[in-house]
Structure formats: structure tokens, C-alpha cells
Amino acid sequence: MESKEVNKDEKKTVFALMKWASDSLNLAGIEDSAFESRDIMMFVLDCSMPELLIKKSQILDEISIARFKKIVKKRMTHYPLQYILGSTGFMGFDFKCREGVLIPRFDTENLVVEALERTKSRKTITALDLCCGTGCIGISYELLRSEAGHDDDQVTCADISDFAIGLAKENVEKLNASVDIVQSDLFTQFEDTSFDLIMSNPPYIPTREIFKLMKDVRDFEPHLALDGDQDGLKFYRQIIDEAPDHLNKNGYLVLEIGYDQATAVENLMHRAGFSQIVCKKDLNGLDRVVSGKLM
Ligand code: GLN
């Protein structure tokens, strides 16, 4: 009798539950199942990684077990973990995220790094993040420039989506950033405004490729933020075509691109009069960011 009780309790330890979660997620086809199991437990226990290590042999109370299992089961349907947990890290900051808005990607950090690099000698900057989603690009650019002593910049984030605008505003407040949020279909609200820097991670997946994306993305993230029309280049054409009217002299345009879009986007920039056009690769060695200068 006693040994059975012990056995039952063993299944309720933080460690055993994490093992169960990791195996279940793995079976459901979730790649980083061990990491995700750990993140879910840290979320349920509201604790840091070192605290989790200390708690690993503890027996979890029934309410927390139920909460933990509910999250794991939801994640097994491939519903994105970032939406469940309500936030994700980007450039060292914690951005709120929720359904209806594209989840910030690690790869997009390359865009922010490139924008920071190209503008580092500028004392002050006016910048626009078009198709901002959560606001992760514009907000982290402003926060990092500010940390580096450039605290007179004027940064604006814009998006067409109500969901994105609402969330970007929440992120500005959460991170105490000095960034304006404007609802705009590309440049429509900026008719007479120009900037020193325009950054964008527009929708760039060709429509017919959307069904090939991971289930997590395809079934749960907004297609409005992914679908770049027939060839995926619709928004690059529009942005690159109109950017010269909204860039100051010696201004920069910095764009995230799909792995096979570098040549097409470079050509569009060339034709629009940009020079010093460069393409940077991501950590997987894939083309990821194209940027250029308008002299
Ligand atoms: N990189 C994203 C993905 O593959 C797409 C982002 C975008 O369309 N801007 O899911």
C-alpha cells in the first residue's frame, strides 16, 4: 500500500511531469520538446531556471498539475507555445505576443542588427518599422540605440492590423520604449513624412507555399502577416517603389527577405535608385536581410 502511494507521488514531481511532457510533445512531433517542457514548467511555477532546478524533486499540487497538463495538451495540437505563454524573447527583451499577430522570430534579429550597424555613426535618427506586428523590430531598435546613448531618436512602428496595433502599443508600454504606434496600410499615413531609416519584415511567403509551412505557423499564425501574394514579392515592390519618397538623403532601407528572394529584392532596390546594396545571411547560412542606401 505504502509503496503504491510513493509510486503515485513520484509521478507528480516536477521532474517526472517534465519528462512526461517532453515525451508527449516529442510524440506529437514538437522538435524542441525538452526545452518546451521546461519552459512550460517555469511558466506554471512562475520561476527562473535556477529555481526550477531547486524544485525538481518537489511534488506539484493538483491545481498546478492540471494547469501544466492542459498547456502540454494544447501545445500537442501545435498551437504555438509563444501564444500560450503570452510572450517571447527578441533582442534580449520580452515581447508580449498573442493570436492574431506574427510571433517574433530569432531570424529577424538579423534585421535589427543590420539596421543598428548601418546607422551606428548617426547621432540621431528618425526611423519607421513598417508591418511592425508586435513592434519587436522598431521597439528593440529604439531601446538598443537608447542604451548606446542615442536617446533623441524618433521611432515609429506601423501596421495595417488592429490586433498588431493594440499589441505593439502594449509592448511599448511594457518595455518603456519611446516609440509611436500608427495604424497605416504601408505608407498611406506618412504621405508627407520622411525618415532616415525604414525597416520592414513584410509578408513574403508566396501564396501557394503557405500550405507547406509548419503546422504551427500555417494553422495558427495570421496569413495577413505571411502572404506575399503570387511570387511573395508584392510588398517589396510596393515598399521599395515608394520608399524613396519617404527617405531622407543618405537614408537606409533594411528588409528581411525569404531565403531565395535576395536577387529579386536587390534588383528592385537597384532600379529604385539605391546604392551600397548588401545582403546578409542568417546563422543557418541563408540570405536573410537586404539593405541599401539612398544617396
Ligand atoms: N519567416 C517567416 C516564416 O517563415 C515569415 C515571415 C514573413 O512572411 N514576414 O514563417
Side-chain angles (χ1 to χ4, degrees), residues 10-289:
E10 262 175 16
K11 289 188 178 161
K12 296 180 184 171
T13 63
V14 167
F15 182 74
L17 283 157
M18 280 171 61
K19 173 88 176 77
W20 165 80
S22 173
D23 292 345
S24 309
L25 292 171
N26 190 30
L27 273 176
I30 305 290
E31 254 175 54
D32 297 323
S33 56
F35 289 110
E36 293 207 6
S37 148
R38 184 200 66 194
D39 287 350
I40 297 170
M41 188 56 90
M42 280 161 54
F43 176 74
V44 169
L45 295 177
D46 191 21
C47 74
S48 65
M49 193 107 75
E51 284 165 348
L52 182 67
L53 289 177
I54 293 165
K55 288 176 197 250
K56 76 178 194 297
S57 311
Q58 268 182 25
I59 301 208
L60 211 56
D61 63 274
E62 293 299 332
I63 292 174
S64 302
I65 293 177
R67 212 166 141 233
F68 181 76
K69 288 192 168 173
K70 194 171 162 196
I71 294 178
V72 173
K73 283 179 184 157
K74 176 113 184 166
R75 181 62 185 128
M76 284 168 73
T77 68
H78 285 249
Y79 188 80
L81 186 63
Q82 296 91 332
Y83 287 157
I84 301 176
L85 306 187
S87 71
T88 194
F90 184 84
M91 294 303 289
F93 305 105
D94 197 41
F95 282 85
K96 281 189 176 192
C97 42
R98 61 172 170 260
E99 207 173 320
V101 185
L102 194 82
I103 297 165
R105 266 78 167 147
F106 175 59
D107 289 330
T108 303
E109 295 189 345
N110 288 284
L111 189 169
V112 180
V113 169
E114 185 64 5
L116 287 167
E117 185 61 28
R118 292 204 82 155
T119 55
K120 69 179 177 202
S121 63
R122 302 282 182 92
K123 203 165 174 297
T124 58
I125 280 279
T126 54
L128 174 66
D129 169 7
L130 269 190
C131 314
C132 69
T134 57
C136 64
I137 294 171
I139 293 173
S140 49
Y141 177 84
E142 192 277 331
L143 292 171
L144 291 166
R145 284 269 305 175
S146 218
E147 270 178 23
H150 306 276
D151 41 20
D152 286 328
D153 289 352
Q154 275 190 303
V155 181
T156 305
C157 288
D159 203 292
I160 191 173
S161 146
D162 294 332
F163 291 120
I165 290 301
L167 191 56
K169 283 183 180 162
E170 288 178 35
N171 277 320
V172 164
E173 201 164 308
K174 176 176 192 281
L175 295 164
N176 205 10
S178 176
V179 170
D180 293 319
I181 307 295
V182 176
Q183 187 160 25
S184 177
D185 180 1
L186 299 180
F187 291 108
T188 48
Q189 298 299 315
F190 304 102
E191 214 167 301
D192 299 315
T193 322
S194 2
F195 303 86
D196 301 315
L197 166 70
I198 297 171
M199 304 174 274
S200 183
N201 172 22
Y204 58 68
I205 312 286
T207 308
R208 64 174 184 289
E209 311 253 321
I210 287 195
F211 82 97
K212 296 187 203 158
L213 297 173
M214 283 162 72
K215 184 176 162 59
D216 315 33
V217 179
R218 183 191 65 215
D219 291 357
F220 301 109
E221 292 203 70
H223 287 194
L224 179 70
L226 296 166
D227 192 340
D229 212 31
Q230 261 190 10
D231 61 358
L233 301 171
K234 175 179 167 180
F235 295 97
Y236 297 119
R237 283 196 196 92
Q238 228 171 313
I239 292 171
I240 294 169
D241 205 40
E242 294 177 32
D245 293 337
H246 302 279
L247 272 175
N248 297 329
K249 194 170 162 19
N250 296 321
Y252 292 99
L253 177 62
V254 187
L255 300 168
E256 173 167 330
I257 55 151
Y259 70 97
D260 56 355
Q261 293 171 324
T263 308
V265 172
E266 283 168 358
N267 286 341
L268 286 169
M269 278 174 88
H270 195 72
R271 258 182 275 148
F274 284 87
S275 45
Q276 297 181 14
I277 300 168
V278 287
C279 175
K280 291 282 171 77
K281 291 184 190 299
D282 62 24
L283 278 183
N284 291 316
L286 300 174
D287 290 340
R288 179 62 59 186
V289 180

